[in-house]
Amino acid sequence: DLVEHNIDFGIEKGSKYLIAMDFCKKNTYKKDEGKSKNYQEIISKLLDDQKIQNDLLEKSLEYGNERGIGIFAPIHGKSYDDFIDHYHSILELESKTNYKFSGFALGGLSNFKGKLASGNIGKIVKEIRLNDDRDIHILGSSGISKIPILMFAGANFFDCHTPWRRANDRDIKYSMPLLNKNLEIIEDSPYSLKNIPIAELRSYDFSCDCPICENFNYRDIKKMIENRDSDKEGYYLGKLLVYFHGVYQYHYILKFLEKCNSRK
């Protein structure tokens, strides 16, 4: 019944698309829920069982079509081959039901770490895009430096709220700017598209003309953060300003990439 409740809720809220319900592993926890041995064993078994996953997808696909809402099929895996195999099993499921998903949502991409992570994720997106012109959504793996690679590989939906996460890191990180509000590259800086702890910011590293930075000098925001004990309201305002600065940088890069795509 959870599948039907999920879809009915989306329709009630006016959603155009929904990601189908499936079994997935949460990578962030408020307490120690994820450390339970029983939980680890159960979720690993459910994650790796394509039949169980696809049973849920089939129910979502059929009920979603019956209710007239677009459904994205989540695709999971631990390696490139896992993702591609799961994609093909979903195509078989579509043949069996005579319904089609509106797009695909790639999850579990945190399995790809290190310098080659974006390239490996991009390879998966590109392989699916070569065979399919449907939308590709990236589930929770959209750091600002990954977006250009994933967009040009063929992804066109993202949901990771990285600016808020970085603003809530223990060392509160600033998104280092690449573009100004005219979508021009600011300077050739090795720090562009990186997240730097606010305590390490230096004036020669940093130049931004977003609405936040035009009204609040980063040194003032830094003081708000440092004065947490004496001015809690100022501290929380500082975090929000770091967050909105990051949102503007995401906005600029997406507009820039949109402009590049329109020239193709």
Side-chain angles (χ1 to χ4, degrees):
D1 290 343
L2 286 173
V3 167
E4 294 180 6
H5 289 315
N6 179 42
I7 291 171
D8 288 342
F9 178 79
I11 290 168
E12 179 190 325
K13 297 300 178 187
S15 299
K16 185 176 179 183
Y17 299 109
L18 272 179
I19 295 169
M21 185 171 283
D22 70 337
F23 296 105
C24 59
K25 185 178 181 182
K26 188 172 170 62
N27 288 317
T28 53
Y29 297 91
K30 290 180 180 174
K31 294 183 182 175
D32 291 331
E33 303 99 323
K35 293 182 180 177
S36 157
K37 188 179 175 186
N38 286 342
Y39 168 79
Q40 293 290 344
E41 287 176 357
I42 292 166
I43 198 63
S44 293
K45 184 175 180 180
L46 293 172
L47 270 171
D48 295 337
D49 192 323
Q50 264 184 29
K51 183 183 180 307
I52 290 176
Q53 292 280 32
N54 285 1
D55 283 347
L56 272 178
L57 297 191
E58 183 176 346
K59 186 166 185 182
S60 294
L61 182 58
E62 290 176 341
Y63 190 68
N65 274 275
E66 182 184 313
R67 300 285 277 124
I69 188 169
I71 303 290
F72 278 40
I75 301 176
H76 291 284
K78 291 181 178 174
S79 66
Y80 170 85
D81 290 335
D82 283 348
F83 276 94
I84 301 307
D85 286 347
H86 195 190
Y87 164 69
H88 286 295
S89 77
I90 289 168
L91 297 185
E92 289 171 17
L93 186 153
E94 288 179 322
S95 297
K96 185 176 103 177
T97 61
N98 290 319
Y99 292 124
K100 274 190 168 276
F101 289 103
S102 297
F104 306 98
L106 304 186
L109 296 172
S110 58
N111 289 315
F112 297 94
K113 298 188 185 300
K115 290 183 179 177
L116 299 176
S118 297
N120 286 325
I121 298 167
K123 268 175 64 182
I124 296 167
V125 173
K126 196 170 181 182
E127 179 64 27
I128 294 172
R129 177 60 70 221
L130 285 171
N131 301 291
D132 217 302
D133 62 359
R134 283 177 279 181
D135 294 314
I136 297 176
H137 178 94
I138 305 297
L139 284 162
S141 184
S142 310
I144 197 166
S145 60
K146 292 178 183 174
I147 284 180
I149 294 168
L150 295 174
M151 275 188 73
F152 282 105
N156 54 347
F157 278 70
F158 300 91
D159 69 25
C160 187
H161 213 354
T162 301
W164 183 242
R165 290 190 177 192
R166 298 295 72 84
N168 282 278
D169 282 345
R170 187 171 292 178
D171 52 2
I172 302 180
K173 295 187 180 74
Y174 240 99
S175 177
M176 299 302 284
L178 173 70
L179 303 167
N180 62 27
K181 61 187 175 187
N182 296 319
L183 307 185
E184 301 160 335
I185 292 176
I186 293 170
E187 58 189 19
D188 183 17
S189 166
Y191 299 107
S192 294
L193 299 185
K194 291 188 177 178
N195 297 294
I196 303 288
I198 194 167
E200 296 175 17
L201 278 181
R202 302 290 182 271
S203 59
Y204 54 80
D205 296 334
F206 190 79
S207 174
C208 181
D209 63 355
C210 78
I212 298 301
C213 295
E214 282 190 326
N215 289 283
F216 294 89
N217 187 288
Y218 82 89
R219 291 184 185 88
D220 297 328
I221 297 175
K222 190 174 174 182
K223 280 181 189 171
M224 293 180 196
I225 301 299
E226 289 170 348
N227 293 340
R228 176 176 185 169
D229 292 337
S230 59
D231 182 6
K232 283 191 166 46
E233 292 296 326
Y235 168 75
Y236 290 116
L237 172 61
K239 285 214 302 187
L240 287 169
L241 294 172
V242 171
Y243 159 63
F244 279 115
H245 155 78
V247 169
Y248 275 109
Q249 282 302 314
Y250 267 71
H251 175 68
Y252 292 160
I253 198 166
L254 289 169
K255 295 300 287 182
F256 180 83
L257 292 169
E258 187 179 43
K259 211 160 92 173
C260 292
N261 267 336
S262 68
R263 289 176 186 155
K264 284 184 179 180

